[in-house]
Amino acid sequence: MIATAARVLRQLRHDPRTVAMILVVPCVLLTLLWWIYDGGPTFTSIGPALLALFPMIIMFLITSIATLRERRSGTLERLLTLPLSRFSFLGGYALAFGVMATAQALLASALMLGPLGLEVQGPWALLVLIAVLDSLLGVALGLFVSAFANTEFQAVQFMPAIVLPQVLLCGLLVPRAELPRFLEVVSNVLPLSYAVDAMNEVARESAPDLAPPLAVLVAFIVGMLALGSATLRRRTP
């Protein structure tokens, strides 16, 4: 697992566009929305949710495409001839992208709490922790769906099916309690809803109780990695 993570990080070091996509793009998008709302109360209201949203989307796209390329190039097939389990392979990817996700979360959180002036009542370290877990959720979901795609275009097509419903129902547009009952029930089984709930809790409470939403996020991350390892194919036809 460690060797796989080290290999992926070496590859990323020689891929500045992907590194920029991971580290720079979320900050640019957050700054753009701050500019649109002129840093007013609307941005203050949705800022915590955005800090959960953008990292997940970007890590989902990058991870799903990167893993698919490993399979299409035959790298995965060669690696799995070694004493390396599917779970170890995906765990190595999750570890490598987890390092990038941590850097991403630190940069985005520093931007929001510093220059963009987002005020939160709870500890800023909890905000960073949730952002990291949300990025890891994007990694886990990307690793899972990559098993069902044969091309990079197909991997991207999973975003409207997997990510966008979560964006619509996570409470960003309408508070989840105000959704129609059926949609509220659906939102209760989507992981992004719990990330947004946790972010909002940190923003509003000086001593937030984050045990339930964080437990759900961790369970989803582990579950998606386990399902991904069970469905991972050695090579794309």
Side-chain angles (χ1 to χ4, degrees):
M1 184 183 296
I2 300 298
T4 300
R7 180 180 61 81
V8 173
L9 288 173
R10 285 195 300 270
Q11 290 176 339
L12 288 173
R13 187 178 61 183
H14 299 293
D15 188 355
R17 286 178 296 182
T18 299
V19 173
M21 183 77 172
I22 295 173
L23 300 181
V24 178
V25 170
C27 295
V28 172
L29 293 175
L30 290 170
T31 303
L32 178 60
L33 283 167
W34 173 85
W35 195 1
I36 289 172
Y37 291 113
D38 198 22
T42 301
F43 180 80
T44 301
S45 175
I46 66 174
L50 295 175
L51 191 55
L53 178 63
F54 288 144
M56 175 189 169
I57 293 175
I58 291 171
M59 295 309 294
F60 174 86
L61 286 173
I62 290 175
T63 306
S64 59
I65 292 173
T67 309
L68 179 63
R69 285 179 177 172
E70 292 274 67
R71 206 171 67 238
R72 286 178 58 83
S73 66
T75 301
L76 175 58
E77 188 174 29
R78 292 192 296 271
L79 287 173
L80 292 181
T81 61
L82 304 173
L84 177 71
S85 69
R86 288 178 171 85
F87 188 82
S88 294
F89 173 81
L90 291 187
Y93 256 82
L95 182 60
F97 281 110
V99 171
M100 300 302 297
T102 301
Q104 180 193 70
L106 288 170
L107 283 175
S109 299
L111 174 68
M112 291 287 279
L113 297 171
L116 302 189
L118 180 68
E119 296 183 359
V120 297
Q121 299 299 316
W124 66 267
L126 290 178
L127 207 69
V128 175
L129 173 62
I130 300 164
V132 170
L133 288 176
D134 205 48
S135 295
L136 289 175
L137 175 64
V139 170
L141 288 172
L143 291 171
F144 173 63
V145 304
S146 67
F148 303 99
N150 292 327
T151 66
E152 286 85 352
F153 181 65
Q154 288 180 2
V156 172
Q157 286 178 318
F158 276 105
M159 193 177 80
I162 301 296
V163 176
L164 291 188
Q166 298 192 60
V167 174
L168 296 175
L169 299 176
C170 70
L172 175 64
L173 304 178
V174 178
R176 294 202 297 127
E178 298 178 12
L179 290 171
R181 179 56 184 163
F182 175 77
L183 295 181
E184 183 183 359
V185 171
V186 173
S187 74
N188 288 337
V189 299
L190 299 177
L192 186 59
S193 300
Y194 295 91
V196 171
D197 286 350
M199 284 290 192
N200 289 333
E201 187 80 8
V202 173
R204 297 167 185 166
E205 302 291 338
S206 59
D209 178 17
L210 299 182
L214 293 187
V216 172
L217 283 176
V218 171
F220 265 100
I221 292 168
V222 174
M224 288 298 100
L225 289 175
L227 287 174
S229 65
T231 57
L232 184 66
R233 290 174 290 168
R234 289 175 177 264
R235 189 178 180 91
T236 299

